[in-house]
């Protein structure tokens, strides 16, 4: 039976929680897909990261199960494609983007380096104020994209920059950090999308309330269990205060 707290849960908040749960499942699936796709396994503990993520996915599905059936099939695939599409609109300057990927392209059009720096790094500030710079060899330096986390940059095939303004972390290819790499990336993506998409989820809840639409799929989520998301959310906030 649903608890008294669940019984009197406002429908708008109920739908919001459901959306956040599906969002968390989708970011896990998206991260697993990117790990499979990556062409730079030397910088990523690929299979250990995937194994760690699969364990998290299993725990998440178990926490939010409905009649012993996981809710992963509740629009997860569709939302995964939506996240991949939406991510194209969040590569530019954004208040949550604390890092930038600086790309060096040779005169022949080959990528010589693709490194992640803090936005406070001198090279990033220079490129932001002056735009792309031509190198001595005829190539160019430019900001390829902005990033919420250096781990997301590594997942996308970039390396860590060196010198002033470089991320305060090393490559997490050994030990426990290797198993947790994928989990941390998924949590970071979850926080970024949750903060940016929550207004849309809330607006959708308002619309459903205005149209007096009854709750359906969102009833699968017991609000008290949504407290599980506070852990991943806290982990995903770390890039805002450190690495």
């Amino acid at each position: 039976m649903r608890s008294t707290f669940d019984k009197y849960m406002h429908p708008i908040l109920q739908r919001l929680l459901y959306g956040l749960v599906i969002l968390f499942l989708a970011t896990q699936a998206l991260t697993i897909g990117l790990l499979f796709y990556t062409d730079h396994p030397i910088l990523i503990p690929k299979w250990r990261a995937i194994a760690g993520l699969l364990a998290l996915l299993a725990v998440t599905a178990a926490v939010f199960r409905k009649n012993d059936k996981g809710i992963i099939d509740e629009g997860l695939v569709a939302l995964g494609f939506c996240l991949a599409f939406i991510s194209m609109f969040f590569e530019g300057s954004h208040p949550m983007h604390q890092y930038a990927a600086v790309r060096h392209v040779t005169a022949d059009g080959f990528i010589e380096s693709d490194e992640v720096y803090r936005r406070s790094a001198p090279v990033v500030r220079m490129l932001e104020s002056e735009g792309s710079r031509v190198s001595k060899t005829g190539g160019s330096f430019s900001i390829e994209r902005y990033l919420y986390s250096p781990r997301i940059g590594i997942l996308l095939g970039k390396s860590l920059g060196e010198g002033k303004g470089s991320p305060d972390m090393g490559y997490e290819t050994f030990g426990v950090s290797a198993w947790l790499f994928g989990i941390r990336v998924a949590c970071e993506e979850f926080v970024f999308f949750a903060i940016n998409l929550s207004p849309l989820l809330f607006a959708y809840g308002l619309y459903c309330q205005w149209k007096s639409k009854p709750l359906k799929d969102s009833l699968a989520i017991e609000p008290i269990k949504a407290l599980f998301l506070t852990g991943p959310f806290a982990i995903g906030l770390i890039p805002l205060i450190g690495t």
Side-chain angles (χ1 to χ4, degrees):
M1 295 181 62
R2 297 174 69 83
S3 67
T4 303
F5 176 75
D6 297 350
K7 181 179 178 181
Y8 294 102
M9 189 75 171
H10 197 285
I12 294 177
L13 186 55
Q14 180 78 46
R15 288 188 170 96
L16 177 61
L17 290 178
Y18 181 74
L20 291 175
V21 171
I22 296 299
L23 195 64
F24 184 46
L25 288 167
T27 53
Q28 292 176 66
L30 182 62
T31 305
I32 291 174
L34 290 173
L35 282 167
F36 272 113
Y37 180 76
T38 182
D39 294 324
H40 303 271
I42 192 172
L43 302 179
I44 300 175
K46 187 170 183 176
W47 297 110
R48 283 171 289 176
I50 290 174
L53 259 176
L54 288 175
L56 176 63
L57 192 60
V59 171
T60 306
V63 170
F64 298 107
R65 69 185 184 277
K66 178 185 179 184
N67 297 327
D68 296 327
K69 180 182 179 182
I71 64 169
I72 298 179
D73 58 341
E74 299 285 344
L76 178 57
V77 175
L79 190 50
F81 281 112
C82 287
L83 283 175
F85 177 77
I86 291 172
S87 66
M88 293 187 296
F89 296 94
F90 290 110
E91 296 176 1
S93 182
H94 186 283
M96 290 181 65
H97 283 151
Q98 304 294 307
Y99 300 87
V102 177
R103 175 171 291 181
H104 178 206
V105 180
T106 66
D108 298 327
F110 292 100
I111 299 175
E112 184 169 303
S113 64
D114 209 359
E115 299 176 322
V116 178
Y117 290 91
R118 290 182 176 275
R119 292 192 66 172
S120 59
V123 63
V124 175
R125 289 188 172 184
M126 176 192 69
L127 293 173
E128 285 182 332
S129 62
E130 301 179 14
S132 300
R133 293 287 298 272
V134 177
S135 66
K136 296 179 180 179
T137 57
S140 63
F141 287 94
S142 63
I143 295 176
E144 189 270 332
R145 72 169 67 190
Y146 291 91
L147 297 158
Y148 174 63
S149 153
R151 290 179 184 83
I152 295 176
I154 294 174
L155 183 64
L156 296 176
K158 305 179 189 308
S159 58
L160 298 175
E162 299 180 357
K164 190 173 182 179
S166 61
D168 300 325
M169 62 173 285
Y171 296 107
E172 300 170 335
T173 55
F174 301 98
V176 176
S177 60
W179 296 91
L180 298 179
F181 177 84
I183 293 176
R184 291 197 63 175
V185 171
C187 291
E188 290 164 355
E189 291 176 339
F190 168 61
V191 165
F192 183 79
F193 285 118
I195 291 176
N196 285 282
L197 299 182
S198 284
L200 294 179
L201 295 174
F202 186 76
Y204 175 73
L206 285 174
Y207 171 78
C208 291
Q209 186 74 4
W210 176 51
K211 291 292 186 178
S212 300
K213 292 187 176 183
L215 292 171
K216 293 181 180 180
D217 292 341
S218 60
L219 290 175
I221 303 299
E222 296 180 38
I224 195 68
K225 291 185 177 181
L227 292 175
F228 170 80
L229 295 179
T230 58
F233 196 85
I235 294 173
L237 283 174
I238 292 176
L240 290 178
I241 56 178
T243 55

